[in-house]
Amino acid sequence: MKSVKPGRGPSMMSGIVGIAVCIIGVVWTVTAISMGAPFLFPVFGVIFVIVGLVNTVYNFKNATGENRFSSFDITDDYEETDPFNDRFGRKNESPQPHTKGKYCPYCGERTQDDYKYCQNCGRELP
């Protein structure tokens, strides 16, 4: 069965961007205070840091969690294992053998073994 398999890469990269946002927010706040800017400018920097922290925590939790949210990787359960499972202490399950021709790898439509092209999207099947 085709399913949306949560991806770790986009979340990890978003977490790293969140760290950069926090750094920019701290620099903004310190600069605004040192220049004697109106009250609203340092407050904006603090809000920027808070948003960056929330973004960072959410994305790192999503990248390392077992039940992650994503809409990037559409796979069968047996097509690929998750290499980050070893990194975060969960064992990879051995993949089941792939049976060719059951589903179109491009659109997920069910196909027959002897089909050369997908009847849904028209692309050539592997």
Side-chain angles (χ1 to χ4, degrees):
M1 166 189 259
K2 289 287 186 188
S3 62
V4 175
K5 183 172 184 170
R8 294 184 189 272
S11 289
M12 188 62 73
M13 290 304 296
S14 294
I16 293 169
V17 168
I19 291 171
V21 166
C22 290
I23 292 170
I24 291 169
V26 168
V27 170
W28 176 281
T29 304
V30 170
T31 303
I33 291 172
S34 68
M35 289 175 42
F39 177 73
L40 191 59
F41 286 90
V43 170
F44 175 75
V46 170
I47 291 171
F48 209 72
V49 170
I50 292 169
V51 169
L53 284 174
V54 169
N55 183 42
T56 301
V57 169
Y58 169 76
N59 283 297
F60 280 148
K61 182 174 178 356
N62 196 33
T64 60
E66 191 167 333
N67 295 319
R68 333 175 274 288
F69 170 77
S70 178
S71 58
F72 295 104
D73 303 329
I74 301 175
T75 64
D76 275 328
D77 293 335
Y78 53 81
E79 282 184 332
E80 67 180 38
T81 58
D82 195 343
F84 276 82
N85 281 344
D86 291 333
R87 173 85 168 108
F88 296 109
R90 289 182 292 281
K91 298 206 182 303
N92 278 330
E93 299 169 4
S94 59
Q96 298 172 357
H98 179 66
T99 54
K100 278 190 160 185
K102 296 294 182 184
Y103 293 93
C104 173
Y106 306 105
C107 69
E109 182 71 22
R110 189 169 187 82
T111 63
Q112 298 292 327
D113 286 334
D114 58 344
Y115 284 4
K116 185 169 180 162
Y117 296 95
C118 175
Q119 288 188 334
N120 185 45
C121 68
R123 295 178 92 176
E124 187 172 2
L125 297 171

